[in-house]
Amino acid sequence: NPFIFGNLRLQKKKKGGGVEGAGDGIARESSPFINNAEMDRGNKYEGKNMALFEEEMDSNPMVSSLLNKLANYTNLTQGVVEHEADEDTKRKEVKVPRMGTFIGVYLPCLQNILGVILFLRLTWIVGTAGVLESFIIVFMCCACTMLTAISMSAIATNGVVPAGGSYYMISRSLGPEFGGAVGLCFYLGTTFAGAMYILGTIEILLTYISPSAAIFKAEDGGEETEAMLNNMRVYGTCIIILMAVVVFVGVKYVNKLALVFLACVILSIIAIYAGVIKTAFDPPDFPICLLGNRTLSKRSFDVCAKFTESNNETKTTTLWRLFCNSSLHNATCDDYFSLNNVTEIQGIPGIMSGVLIDNLWSAYSEKGSIVEKKNQPSVSGSEDVKIGGRPYVFTDIMTYFTMLVGIYFPSVTGIMAGSNRSGDLKDAQKSIPTGTILAISTTSFIYLSCIVLFGACIEGVILRDKFGEAVNGNLVVGTLAWPSPWVIVIGSFFSTCGAGLQSLTGAPRLLQAIARDGIVPFIQVFGHGKANGEPTWALLLTAGICEIGILIASLDSVAPILSMFFLMCYMFVNLACAVQTLLRTPNWRPRFKYYHWTLSFLGMSLCLALMFICSWYYALVAMLIAGCIYKYIEYRGAEKEWGDGIRGLSLNAARYALLRVEDGPPHTKNWRPQLLVLLNLDCEQLVKHPRLLSFTSQLKAGKGLTIVGSVLQGTYLDKCTETQKAEEVCKRCITNSSQFWRNFIL
């Protein structure tokens, strides 16, 4: 019994630092049910700590031990680490997993949750939806992931979760049909997440780091969007190919950069909070130019004025020539330009400025609308001249509440990072719930506080300026950061690039785990790969699907797609926990006790509601895809019996129905024929009178119930083989002889 063995005292070997059972001299086998904390204690601090007692070594580890763990930090799942261990021929033995809660769960979840949406879209969401509605959006999404994390913690602490993560949890809890359908949807979501991260990387590169690197140039203002989309497609394809080659050559290179990507995320967050504190006494100088109440893009001019004084001579500026047909004072100018003054205000007035009141409410707009400042006086002119070529800041898409929910939700995904690596953890039963819930709490605090701080520090027109055109093309959140906007730009670039690499690393292994289970026949080829198990074919398919997201070329269009797949996965995780809890199956004994089926049901309902809030037609398409996969697995999939909850639910329903049947004779309206057929078998275990089954089927006309049986003379232990053969023959005969064979019981 593994629980008995887990309570034995473990002793160190005098030589070699190995672990033995007490007195047996045999190396103890690692078991998922055994707490390895004591097992590791013997060799963890040997020769590294001068503590007098062993208890001190456990409670007072050296700082160098933490630094060593950080140096070896990885955000890859256990399957990836196993593949790399096969490649490393110099390694003679596999080390016992020693990752704790902080390194093994908290930091990977933190890195996966914080990402591209925080840096590129959160300020725009705050400016468009307002502080109050943005707070509601973030709270709903964070509540959804928190409830899902509670359900996931219960499932993950009920046993070890190997490679496959959420797929393994759902398939072993709800059966292969649900597991395969939701697993493939989760795979598609992870793949499209890679596309979203790559699009974010290119947007940072071409918009904020090196705009001159664009291949396609816009000849006039109306073609800027199309040129940007084409640049996204070209650069995105090149980056996908490069990343696929890196993953194919060896994920150990991705592993070595994991700490760099993590440091970029943490430093960027610290820079934002430092910038907010600095605005209280010394706001940064980022002036924005307004014509009336309309925001002007500073990409086309440098002086925010109609005239300048030089050598006692009044001259027109570049801005004048953008609105007038010449540089002369008597030139014909745009009507709105003539009637309104040009003013300059601070884009970052600071946390003490009171701008939070103006940013509380939403400012949704149509596509192509001019970003205007509220409560700013202006005189309307006759818009005879087309404003498309003027240097205004325009909205690139139509905005509304539900659309912003779909764009924001990917920023709270990534909560499965801890459960995916349970085999790498020293005490997975403790680390997964603690690390995941702490990571969600931390990121929720960061998101909710950033919403309030962005609304309190930044002018509303800057918040609604998605690409920072009014602040000389700077990243909006970067203008707030201290000591320099480049801290956020460079940090967000490397973090999004690293997240894309991790998606291309994790998604093929998820597909490989599904393929190796054999429940979806047409994807079994993707279970093969290199000699060490690297999923080569799955990587090629992942890169191809990721290319579809790149061809869409818009981060705002790709985000709702992956939101659907992640929400569906989270919904079934909650369903799995609720079903297992309500069924009270004997093997459902999670160590995490702070769960309840009502919380799981609430999380499932919230996931379903968010799916239709984000996009009802995307939700229907995602459900249709999952439904088709479900029916395909049910029709053609391999027969698997994992003791899942759906079969348990069927048995409970059958038991409940049988107990409700009355002992007395049924009413005439409810009468159904119930027949017993005894088949006679010959010496070769073949049915002598197979047409008897057809006759029985005609008697009951497809209604009622028929019980089919046969008798073999002898002892069961001696006739076991004959019994199994006879059973198969009878089943085949039932199937072939009656179109109503589903009403037969053998």
Side-chain angles (χ1 to χ4, degrees):
N1 190 328
F3 296 100
I4 297 176
F5 286 128
N7 293 324
L8 293 177
R9 293 184 57 84
L10 303 176
Q11 300 176 350
K12 293 188 299 178
K13 283 185 179 180
K14 294 182 179 180
K15 296 182 180 180
V19 180
E20 295 181 343
D24 56 9
I26 302 174
R28 184 169 305 283
E29 181 182 359
S30 178
S31 169
F33 300 100
I34 300 177
N35 189 346
N36 291 326
E38 294 184 23
M39 185 182 298
D40 296 336
R41 191 180 299 167
N43 51 14
K44 185 173 184 178
Y45 302 106
E46 186 173 3
K48 296 183 179 181
N49 203 310
M50 296 185 66
L52 183 60
F53 298 104
E54 200 172 23
E55 289 76 8
E56 291 185 32
M57 291 193 292
D58 189 36
S59 59
N60 301 315
M62 293 174 59
V63 176
S64 60
S65 176
L66 176 62
L67 296 178
N68 182 48
K69 289 181 179 180
L70 284 174
N72 296 322
Y73 168 77
T74 173
N75 196 23
L76 304 177
T77 59
Q78 64 198 60
V80 182
V81 177
E82 290 163 3
H83 294 327
E84 288 304 313
D86 292 336
E87 280 190 352
D88 190 1
T89 56
K90 296 181 180 179
R91 182 178 299 177
K92 296 182 179 180
E93 59 180 3
V94 180
K95 295 182 179 179
V96 178
R98 297 180 181 178
M99 299 177 71
T101 302
F102 185 73
I103 302 293
V105 180
Y106 181 77
L107 289 182
C109 286
L110 203 71
Q111 183 177 354
N112 279 269
I113 295 173
L114 298 173
V116 60
I117 301 296
L118 171 64
F119 300 122
L120 295 184
R121 292 292 182 270
L122 190 58
T123 53
W124 173 71
I125 291 174
V126 173
T128 304
V131 173
L132 295 180
E133 291 186 25
S134 299
F135 200 91
I136 294 173
I137 292 173
V138 175
F139 182 80
M140 281 195 309
C141 296
C142 292
C144 174
T145 55
M146 179 61 79
L147 293 172
T148 304
I150 293 173
S151 300
M152 182 195 70
S153 298
I155 298 175
T157 56
N158 194 50
V160 173
V161 180
S166 58
Y167 157 71
Y168 185 90
M169 287 189 285
I170 295 172
S171 62
R172 270 56 177 182
S173 299
L174 297 180
E177 295 87 1
F178 277 108
V182 181
L184 286 177
C185 287
F186 189 58
Y187 162 74
L188 292 175
T190 307
T191 304
F192 275 102
M196 183 189 71
Y197 291 131
I198 292 172
L199 290 174
T201 302
I202 303 167
E203 182 177 315
I204 295 170
L205 175 66
L206 297 182
T207 307
Y208 308 111
I209 296 179
S210 179
S212 60
I215 299 174
F216 299 92
K217 307 289 185 180
E219 296 181 359
D220 55 52
E223 297 180 358
E224 287 185 2
T225 303
E226 189 63 31
M228 187 62 178
L229 294 179
N230 290 330
N231 286 318
M232 288 276 197
R233 295 183 180 106
V234 173
Y235 274 93
T237 303
C238 296
I239 291 179
I240 282 181
I241 295 173
L242 179 62
M243 287 185 174
V245 170
V246 171
V247 175
F248 177 78
V249 170
V251 292
K252 57 186 175 184
Y253 300 108
V254 184
N255 187 19
K256 293 181 185 299
L257 294 174
L259 185 61
V260 176
F261 300 145
L262 175 66
C264 290
V265 173
I266 295 176
L267 290 177
S268 299
I269 299 296
I270 294 174
I272 292 173
Y273 283 108
V276 170
I277 295 173
K278 183 176 179 294
T279 62
F281 53 87
D282 184 19
D285 184 26
F286 278 100
I288 57 176
C289 191
L290 299 177
L291 176 61
N293 65 346
R294 297 178 178 179
T295 311
L296 297 176
S297 172
K298 282 195 171 182
R299 295 181 184 271
S300 306
F301 64 93
D302 50 356
V303 179
C304 182
K306 294 182 180 181
F307 307 99
T308 57
E309 296 288 338
S310 177
N311 297 326
N312 295 326
E313 183 181 358
T314 303
K315 296 182 179 179
T316 57
T317 61
T318 305
L319 181 62
W320 174 278
R321 291 188 287 273
L322 291 173
F323 284 91
C324 303
N325 58 2
S326 72
S327 59
L328 301 177
H329 291 265
N330 58 354
T332 303
C333 298
D334 179 79
D335 194 20
Y336 189 86
F337 181 77
S338 302
L339 295 174
N340 291 275
N341 295 324
V342 176
T343 57
E344 197 172 53
I345 62 173
Q346 279 298 325
I348 314 291
I351 195 171
M352 307 299 292
S353 63
V355 73
L356 176 64
I357 304 300
D358 297 332
N359 293 330
L360 283 178
W361 313 109
S362 62
Y364 300 116
S365 59
E366 298 289 332
K367 180 180 179 180
S369 302
I370 301 174
V371 176
E372 298 179 344
K373 178 175 170 54
K374 301 175 184 177
N375 303 322
Q376 182 77 6
S378 67
V379 179
S380 300
S382 58
E383 301 289 351
D384 297 331
V385 183
K386 185 179 179 181
I387 64 174
R390 304 304 186 193
Y392 294 123
V393 177
F394 297 96
T395 57
D396 62 332
I397 57 174
M398 183 175 67
T399 53
Y400 45 92
F401 179 82
T402 57
M403 187 266 295
L404 296 181
V405 176
I407 292 177
Y408 173 76
F409 187 81
S411 65
V412 297
T413 59
I415 62 175
M416 300 287 184
S419 63
N420 288 350
R421 51 172 56 208
S422 62
D424 297 333
L425 301 174
K426 180 172 62 176
D427 186 3
Q429 308 284 327
K430 175 184 177 182
S431 296
I432 290 177
T434 306
T436 304
I437 292 175
L438 281 178
I440 294 176
S441 302
T442 303
T443 53
S444 299
F445 171 77
I446 291 173
Y447 282 127
L448 292 172
S449 62
C450 281
I451 286 174
V452 177
L453 295 176
F454 290 162
C457 295
I458 306 176
E459 185 63 50
V461 290
I462 299 298
L463 290 173
R464 295 193 295 277
D465 182 7
K466 184 186 292 186
F467 303 109
E469 297 179 38
V471 284
N472 300 317
N474 284 293
L475 183 62
V476 174
V477 69
T479 61
L480 182 63
W482 181 86
S484 169
W486 285 101
V487 175
I488 300 293
V489 173
I490 300 300
S492 60
F493 176 80
F494 281 109
S495 66
T496 52
C497 185
L501 270 174
Q502 289 156 11
S503 296
L504 283 180
T505 303
R509 283 161 179 81
L510 176 60
L511 181 62
Q512 187 183 47
I514 301 173
R516 285 182 172 176
D517 262 347
I519 61 174
V520 187
F522 71 88
I523 67 167
Q524 289 186 6
V525 64
F526 299 108
H528 306 292
K530 292 195 295 186
N532 66 337
E534 282 288 317
T536 307
W537 295 108
L539 176 61
L540 292 176
L541 179 65
T542 302
I545 298 175
C546 197
E547 177 65 17
I548 297 175
I550 294 299
L551 293 178
I552 297 175
S554 172
L555 189 150
D556 301 323
S557 300
V558 173
I561 297 176
L562 64 101
S563 294
M564 292 300 110
F565 294 124
F566 278 117
L567 279 168
M568 181 172 292
C569 175
Y570 296 164
M571 180 177 69
F572 279 97
V573 168
N574 285 293
L575 176 62
C577 181
V579 168
Q580 295 281 26
T581 306
L582 290 174
L583 289 179
R584 299 177 182 176
T585 53
N587 67 329
W588 178 247
R589 292 173 293 177
R591 278 185 58 183
F592 181 74
K593 300 300 182 183
Y594 304 101
Y595 70 95
H596 196 268
W597 69 268
T598 54
L599 294 177
S600 300
F601 185 78
L602 179 62
M604 182 184 67
S605 304
L606 186 56
C607 289
L608 183 62
L610 284 175
M611 286 179 67
F612 284 92
I613 287 175
C614 293
S615 175
W616 64 267
Y617 46 89
Y618 277 168
L620 292 178
V621 170
M623 289 182 173
L624 179 63
I625 293 173
C628 292
I629 298 173
Y630 178 92
K631 297 304 292 184
Y632 176 80
I633 296 173
E634 187 180 49
Y635 178 68
R636 293 290 303 276
E639 296 181 0
K640 297 283 185 180
E641 178 56 57
W642 289 324
D644 54 86
I646 296 300
R647 284 176 173 78
L649 191 62
S650 301
L651 291 174
N652 274 17
R655 174 180 173 273
Y656 175 78
L658 288 173
L659 292 175
R660 290 291 300 271
V661 174
E662 299 178 0
D663 294 334
H667 193 273
T668 307
K669 295 180 181 179
N670 298 327
W671 180 85
R672 299 291 185 275
Q674 300 181 25
L675 305 175
L676 172 63
V677 180
L678 290 175
L679 295 178
N680 194 6
L681 305 180
D682 57 18
C683 59
E684 297 181 358
Q685 310 301 330
L686 298 177
V687 179
K688 288 185 178 181
H689 307 290
R691 291 187 176 275
L692 187 60
L693 295 174
S694 300
F695 174 68
T696 306
S697 177
Q698 294 172 5
L699 281 179
K700 64 187 183 64
K703 309 296 183 182
L705 181 67
T706 301
I707 300 176
V708 180
S710 183
V711 178
L712 297 179
Q713 292 184 356
T715 307
Y716 177 76
L717 294 177
D718 299 333
K719 296 277 188 177
C720 181
T721 305
E722 290 83 351
T723 303
Q724 294 177 352
K725 181 180 179 181
E727 185 177 357
E728 293 298 326
V729 168
C730 291
K731 284 183 178 179
R732 190 162 55 249
C733 189
I734 290 173
T735 305
N736 296 333
S737 300
S738 175
Q739 58 179 329
F740 307 108
W741 62 272
R742 288 184 181 274
N743 295 317
F744 285 85
I745 294 180
L746 182 63

